[in-house]
Amino acid sequence: IAIFYSVDRLIFAIDFSGKKFIIDKCLTEIEDMINTQKFFRVNRSVIINSDAIKEFKVIEYGKIVIHLASPEWMKGDIQVSQYTAPSFRDWIANI
């Protein structure tokens, strides 16, 4: 799985080939089940696999914007808040 995300209370998983699946669990339950060395919850609606990250950059106020390896997986930017950004940088540095 490349990414888990929620939209309108539905949870989706997208694999690396681009196939989308509906998941019958909330992101918090998924977060408890996954390998935290490989996956990171970047915000309330997205859990991302490290292999799905093409690049990331720091934007205003220390926030981070993540660009996916395949932009078709998810529309829009994935942002990491200024509060979560230090944890994200620690996680990405240790993989």
Side-chain angles (χ1 to χ4, degrees), residues 17-60:
S17 69
K19 290 183 183 174
K20 187 185 287 189
F21 305 91
I22 294 178
I23 306 295
D24 190 26
K25 297 201 180 297
C26 70
L27 286 179
T28 303
E29 292 173 314
I30 293 169
E31 192 176 19
D32 291 339
M33 298 168 51
I34 56 176
N35 179 349
T36 56
Q37 290 180 325
K38 201 71 175 157
F39 288 90
F40 187 84
R41 181 143 186 197
V42 295
N43 57 39
R44 276 188 246 162
S45 59
V46 177
I47 299 173
I48 194 164
N49 185 319
S50 61
D51 294 334
I53 298 172
K54 177 181 179 182
E55 64 184 3
F56 65 92
K57 61 183 173 184
V58 177
I59 56 175
E60 74 273 352

Side-chain angles (χ1 to χ4, degrees), residues 5-16:
Y5 69 97
S6 69
V7 174
D8 297 328
R9 297 184 181 234
L10 289 174
I11 308 300
F12 297 95
I14 299 180
D15 68 13
F16 284 96

Side-chain angles (χ1 to χ4, degrees), residues 54-83:
K54 177 181 179 182
E55 64 184 3
F56 65 92
K57 61 183 173 184
V58 177
I59 56 175
E60 74 273 352
Y61 307 111
K63 297 178 193 172
I64 294 173
V65 65
I66 297 172
H67 297 257
L68 298 173
S70 176
E72 290 84 37
W73 291 339
M74 196 174 153
K75 302 288 186 244
D77 289 339
I78 299 173
Q79 288 195 9
V80 183
S81 75
Q82 65 185 17
Y83 304 106

